[in-house]
Amino acid sequence: MTTDLGLPALGGLDNVPTTDEQQKAKDYKSDQEVRWCPGCGDYVVLNTIQAFLPELGLKRENLVFVSGIGCSSRFPYYMNTYGMHSIHGRAPTIATGLATTRPDLSVWVVTGDGDALSIGGNHLIHALRRNVNLKILLFNNRIYGLTKGQYSPTSDQGMVTKSTPVGSLDTPFNPVSLALGAEASFVGRALDSDRKGLTEVLTAAAQHRGSAVVEIYQNCPIFNDGAFDVLKDSDDKQRRLIPLTHGQPITFGPDDERYGVVRDGQGQLQVAKLDEVGEDDIVVHDAEAVDTAQAFALSRLGGQDLNPTVTGIFRAAPRPTYDDQARAQTRQAAEANPPDLQGLLTGNDTWTI
Amino acid sequence: MTATNGHRPAEQAGAGTAGAAQDTRKVNRVVIRFAGDSGDGMQLTGDRFTSEAAAFGNDLATLPNYPAEIRAPAGTLPGVSSFQLHFADYDILTPGDRPDVLVAMNPAALKANIADLPRGGTLVINTDEFTKRNLKKVGYETSPLETYELEPYVVHEVAMAELTKGALAETGLSRKEAERAKNMFALGLLSWMYSRPTEGTEQFLREKFAKKPQLAEANVLAFRAGWNYGETTESFAVSYEVAPATLPQGTYRQITGNQALAYGLVAAGQRSELPVFLGSYPITPASDVLHEMAKHKNFGVTTFQAEDEIAGIGAALGASFGGSLGVTTTSGPGLALKSETIGLAVALELPLLICDIQRGGPSTGMPTKTEQADLLQALYGRNGESPVPVLAPRSPADCFEVALEAARIALTYRTPVVLLSDGATANGSEPWLIPEVDQLPDLRVSFATEPNAPDGSGEFWPYLRDPETLARDWAIPGTPGTEHRVGGLEKADGKGNISYDPDNHDTMVRLRQSKVDGVSVPDLAVDDPSGQARVLVLGWGSPYGPIGAACRRLRSNGHAIAQAHLRYLNPMPANLGEILHAYDRVVVPEMNLGQLAMLLRSRYLVDAQSYTKVAGLPFQAEELENVLTDIVQGVEA
C-alpha cells in the first residue's frame, strides 16, 4: 500500500536554485592541492565532474558533496562547494538527513567499493530502497587503496593481496546487481576514462529525482593497476563494452563484427553475432521498466572478467522519494494542526492548585 | 481469613488518622502495587489509577516494572508485570520502597511480590487464578490461601474473574472476552478503597475503545462492578482518603520522563526556530521518545526511523550540518554504536543531541530495567580526546528542562551533547507544573552569512571561533560566500584545511577541551536546612528521589545531612570542588559501581565514599536512610 500525498512529479534538481552566471570548471575547484597518487583514476573523475557541473547551472552554494573514508573520499576537499568528509561507510546516512531537511540542495555522496559495499553496505541498500534524493558516486577500483592494498568486496576471488597471501576466498559483489536488488530507482555504470559516457550518466543521475547510484570503474595504479585495462584497449574494448541506450536495441562491437543481446530459449540474456540472429530478436533496452528483471539480467551479462561489460543507465524509473514524502507529511501536519506549543505542553488532563 | 479493619498506616510516623466518616480514614500517603501476568493489563491499570490520583490533586510518583519479553508464558514468574504508584497529600520524591497494598492477579504475581509487602500490609488477591495448575507453575505445593503463609497480611480474597464475567453477562461478550476486563474490576475496587474520582476513567475507557463501543461498555461495567463490590461487601468496611497535596500554585499535568523529554525537544525546536530532526532506531526504553516525536510533525519535527543506530545519528548530524537541530535517541548499546559519529560531531563542531535512556548492561543486559552505568561511556567512550557536555535529569518532569538545557549548550557551543536519562526516569511519571511558553529560554542562533577571514582575503574560515564561547562559525549550505569543507581529519585552527601539523593538533585538542570546559553551568546548590551538616550526599540522575527521601528521614530523626544533586556531569559546576571540601564526608549513591565517585576522587582529590547498587531497580529510601544514618552517626561520634 502506498500513501498518496498528492505530490507532483519532479525532476532531480527542481527545488535547487539556479544561476544565470556563466560557470566554468575552475569555479568548482577548491584551493586545495589534489593529492591522489600520480595516475590515479580519481583525477579523471574529479575533472569530469568539475567540467560537467557548470552545465547544470546550479548555484554553487547549493551543492554538497558528502564522502566516507577511502582514497575517493578526499573528493569533497577538492570541490569549491559545501562538503563533508565523514566517517567510514556512513556518508549515505549523513546525506539522508541533509537531503531530507534541505530540498534546495543537490546532495552527492562520494564513496568507494570498501566504503559503500563493505563497512557501509547497510546504509547503501537502505538509502536506495528509501529513494532519498541523493546521488551516489561509487568509485570501484576493486581494492583497498588507502590502507595499502587489501582485497575489497569487489576484488576477484583468489586475488593475492597483503591480507590474502594465498588468495582471497570471498565471492565479489556486483554493485549494479546489488543496487537493483535494493530497489534502486536509478543505476548507472561508467568508466573513469570515458569522459563522455561518464558525463551522460552523471547528468541523467542529477536530473533523476530519487537515489541514484553510479558505479565508476576506477583504476588504482598502485595496488590494482590495470584492473580495467581490457576496457580501455582500443581493440578489446569494442568487443567487450555494451553501451545502453534507453529505447534502443542493445548492440555493440566493431563495424565489421557487430553483436547484439538476445534472449535464449530459457529467457536468459546472451550475446549473439548480429548476422546470426534477426534484428527483431535483439533485446530493446527499457531503463524505465518497473520490473527490474531485464536490468538485472543485463547486470549479470558480464562477470568479474568484464567480458562483456554493460555500461550506461541500467535503470531510471522514478518513484516517490522518501524526502519529498517526509516533507509533505510535515507540511500537511502543520496545515491540518498549526503548531501550538502551549497547547501541547498543557494537554487535556490538568488540575490547578 | 479476610480482615475488615486492618489497613496499616503508611510507613511514615503518624500517617494514619481517623477520618470524620466512620468508614473512611484519612492517610497521608499510600503505595499501591498492581501485579499480574503481562497479559493482564497491569500497566494500563496503574496508569489509570495514576491519572485518578493526579486528577484528585495528589502528588505522585510511579514505577512500572515489566518483563522484556513481549509475552512471556502466561502465569509464570518471568511473565509478571507490575506497576507501583505512590500518592500523597504532600510532595513526595519516590515511587515508594514497599507497597502498602499489593494487588495480585495470579499466583505468580503473588510469589514474585509478596516479599516486598511489609507485615500488616494489605493484599488483594484474584482467587480465580489460584488453580492447581497455576500454583504448580510457580512452585506452590499447596495454595498459600489455604496455609498460614499470608497470616501477617490483611488479605482480601476476591473472585475477580467470576465477578467480572457475572457483571458482563448481559453484554453479549464471550466469557473469555469478558474475563479480560478483570483488570478494570481491580481498578474499580481500588478506586473505591481510596475514594478516587471515577469520571476520568470512564471517559478514558469510552475514548480508548471508541471504535468498539461494546468493549468500552464492558470495561466501564467491570470498573463499576469493582467499585460497587467494595462499597457493598462487608469485607471492605473501611475506605481511605488521601487529601490533595499542597504543591506550589499553578496548573499541573501528569507526565512521564520520555514524554517530557520529547516535549523538551519539540520546545527546543520552537524556541530556537530551527526544524528538529530526530534520527533514531527502536530500542528499549528509548523508543517512546521516537513515538512521541512522530506525533508532532506539525511543529516542524521530522522523525526518521533509521536502518540502525549509526544511521540514526548520522542522519541527525547531516541535518545539523544543514541547519536543523539534529537529535538522536537511544539506550546504552546504541550509544556504543553511535560513538564514532559522536566523535565526528566533536571534530565537525556541530550541534547534536544524543539522548541515552540508560538500562541495565553490559551488552543487551536488562532492557526493561534501570541503571546509570553509562556515565563513563558518555564521557569517555570514544577514540581520541573527544570531550562532550553531559547532562542528566533527576526525575521524569525534569527531562523537559534538561532537554532545553542540552539544546542550549549544543547550539551555543556547536557541540554534541549527551543527555543521560534512565529507564526509571523514562517510564516513571509525576505531576508537572506546566511551564509558560514565553518563559522558556530563547534559543535562537545566528548562522554565518558571509566570509569571515580576519586577513581580509574574502574567504570563509569554518574554524574561526567566538572568543568568548570558542564556538566556531556555523554556515549552512545554500549560503553564498561561505562554502567550506569539514571532516573528521584534523583541521587547521581557523582556516579549517586538513592539517597534520603537530603543534596545530595540540592546539586543536586543547581548544576543543577548553570549549567544553568553558560551557556555562550554574553553580551547584546544597540543601542543608540545619546548616550544620558534616556529611554531604551527592547524587546524579534518578536517585534524586530516594536520596532526598532518605535525607528527610534522617533530618526528622534529628540528624544533619546535606544533599546536592548534579545535573551537569560535564563540565561540572565551578563551585563543586569547594563544596566537596567543605564536608567531613561525601557519600555518592549510584546505580553503577561508583563511576561519579571515581571522577570526583580523581578531579577533586576528595575521599568520596561510594554507595552502589546495580540491581536494575531504583534505590529504596529505606536502604539509603540506613546507609546514611550509619555514616552520619560515625561522623558525629
Side-chain angles (χ1 to χ4, degrees), chain A residues 32 61 76-77 79 81-85 90 93 97 102 122-123 130 322 330 337 342 344-345 350-353, chain B residues 54 249-253 296-298 304 307-308 315 322 435 437 477-479 482-488 491 497:
Chain A
Q32 296 299 292
E61 63 267 23
Y77 290 120
M79 297 295 298
T81 62
Y82 283 89
M84 188 196 294
H85 179 212
R90 317 304 173 199
T93 73
R102 294 291 305 272
N122 195 34
H123 307 309
R130 278 191 197 102
Y322 176 86
T330 307
N337 188 12
Q342 191 67 60
L344 172 72
L345 302 187
T350 62
W351 68 96
T352 301
I353 290 169
Chain B
Q249 283 195 341
T251 301
Y252 286 80
R253 65 175 287 170
H296 305 302
K297 293 184 194 298
N298 58 322
F304 171 65
E307 60 271 23
D308 60 26
V437 164
T479 316
T482 57
E483 291 86 351
H484 66 278
R485 277 65 58 192
V486 290
K491 296 290 176 284
N497 292 326

Side-chain angles (χ1 to χ4, degrees), chain A residues 3-4 16 38 49 59 74 76 97 110 145 186 198 211 235 259 309:
Chain A
T3 313
D4 183 8
V16 185
I49 289 173
K59 288 194 166 170
R74 289 282 183 117
V110 181
F186 184 103
L198 179 57
S211 293
D235 228 25
Y259 298 92
T309 294

Side-chain angles (χ1 to χ4, degrees), chain B residues 402-485:
Chain B
V402 172
L404 282 165
E405 259 300 273
R408 173 188 69 85
I409 294 171
L411 292 167
T412 308
Y413 297 91
R414 325 278 201 241
T415 177
V417 175
V418 177
L419 184 157
L420 286 178
S421 177
D422 66 24
T425 306
N427 290 320
S429 62
E430 63 178 350
W432 179 40
L433 179 58
I434 300 162
E436 293 294 329
V437 164
D438 50 20
Q439 303 294 309
L440 298 177
D442 180 351
L443 300 177
R444 283 176 298 180
V445 292
S446 49
F447 297 119
T449 53
E450 51 191 29
N452 61 0
D455 61 2
S457 59
E459 292 173 354
F460 178 72
W461 291 13
Y463 284 83
L464 200 66
R465 294 171 192 280
D466 178 301
E468 202 139 300
T469 61
L470 297 183
R472 73 174 187 87
D473 276 354
W474 186 12
I476 60 170
T479 316
T482 57
E483 291 86 351
H484 66 278
R485 277 65 58 192

Side-chain angles (χ1 to χ4, degrees), chain B residues 335 342 346 352-356 358 372 374-382 386-393 402 405-406 409-410 415-421 516-517 519-521 540-541 566-573 595-596 599 603:
Chain B
L335 186 65
I342 299 173
V346 168
L352 183 66
L353 296 186
I354 302 106
C355 305
D356 171 14
Q358 301 165 96
Q372 48 177 174
D374 294 351
L375 176 59
L376 295 182
Q377 182 183 206
L379 284 165
Y380 302 116
R382 291 168 296 282
S386 178
V388 298
V390 178
L391 288 78
V402 172
E405 259 300 273
I409 294 171
T415 177
V417 175
V418 177
L419 184 157
L420 286 178
S421 177
V516 171
D517 290 346
V519 167
S520 78
V521 159
W540 69 279
L566 284 175
R567 169 186 278 183
Y568 302 87
L569 281 318
N570 194 37
M572 289 184 184
Q595 299 189 6
L596 175 63
L599 293 171
R603 281 192 199 172

Side-chain angles (χ1 to χ4, degrees), chain B residues 321-628:
Chain B
F321 182 63
S324 290
L325 176 59
V327 185
T328 190
T329 49
T330 189
S331 188
L335 186 65
L337 285 164
K338 294 178 196 298
S339 47
E340 191 186 12
T341 311
I342 299 173
L344 176 64
V346 168
L348 300 183
E349 303 193 39
L350 283 171
L352 183 66
L353 296 186
I354 302 106
C355 305
D356 171 14
I357 320 297
Q358 301 165 96
R359 65 190 213 185
S363 187
T364 308
M366 300 201 290
T368 58
K369 307 299 173 193
T370 197
E371 201 161 292
Q372 48 177 174
D374 294 351
L375 176 59
L376 295 182
Q377 182 183 206
L379 284 165
Y380 302 116
R382 291 168 296 282
N383 63 307
E385 295 289 351
S386 178
V388 298
V390 178
L391 288 78
R394 67 186 195 184
S395 72
D398 196 38
C399 290
F400 179 79
E401 223 175 277
V402 172
L404 282 165
E405 259 300 273
R408 173 188 69 85
I409 294 171
L411 292 167
T412 308
Y413 297 91
R414 325 278 201 241
T415 177
V417 175
V418 177
L419 184 157
L420 286 178
S421 177
D422 66 24
T425 306
N427 290 320
S429 62
E430 63 178 350
W432 179 40
L433 179 58
I434 300 162
E436 293 294 329
V437 164
D438 50 20
Q439 303 294 309
L440 298 177
D442 180 351
L443 300 177
R444 283 176 298 180
V445 292
S446 49
F447 297 119
T449 53
E450 51 191 29
N452 61 0
D455 61 2
S457 59
E459 292 173 354
F460 178 72
W461 291 13
Y463 284 83
L464 200 66
R465 294 171 192 280
D466 178 301
E468 202 139 300
T469 61
L470 297 183
R472 73 174 187 87
D473 276 354
W474 186 12
I476 60 170
T479 316
T482 57
E483 291 86 351
H484 66 278
R485 277 65 58 192
V486 290
L489 284 172
E490 185 60 285
K491 296 290 176 284
D493 182 19
K495 270 194 165 181
N497 292 326
I498 300 171
S499 171
Y500 283 87
D501 180 80
D503 289 340
N504 176 73
H505 181 53
D506 189 75
T507 300
M508 289 296 277
V509 166
R510 290 173 199 281
L511 272 171
R512 286 185 288 259
Q513 186 65 48
S514 301
K515 182 176 80 168
V516 171
D517 290 346
V519 167
S520 78
V521 159
D523 269 351
L524 183 65
V526 179
D527 177 36
D528 175 19
S530 70
Q532 305 293 316
R534 293 167 62 191
V535 174
L536 171 73
V537 52
L538 180 73
W540 69 279
S542 69
Y544 173 76
I547 293 172
C551 287
R552 282 184 183 176
R553 293 182 192 188
L554 259 76
R555 288 168 193 152
S556 69
N557 290 337
H559 299 295
I561 189 160
Q563 185 195 358
H565 208 74
L566 284 175
R567 169 186 278 183
Y568 302 87
L569 281 318
N570 194 37
M572 289 184 184
N575 65 337
L576 179 58
E578 195 186 316
I579 289 172
L580 291 173
H581 288 292
Y583 293 87
D584 292 346
R585 195 69 68 84
V586 175
V587 187
V588 185
E590 291 180 86
M591 297 185 291
N592 59 44
L593 293 182
Q595 299 189 6
L596 175 63
M598 188 192 86
L599 293 171
L600 297 174
R601 293 174 74 97
S602 71
R603 281 192 199 172
Y604 300 102
L605 297 176
V606 60
D607 187 16
Q609 184 177 337
S610 199
Y611 178 72
T612 62
K613 187 176 80 168
V614 201
L617 289 169
F619 285 114
Q620 297 195 337
E622 189 181 340
E623 65 174 311
L624 292 180
E625 177 190 359
N626 295 337
V627 168
L628 296 174

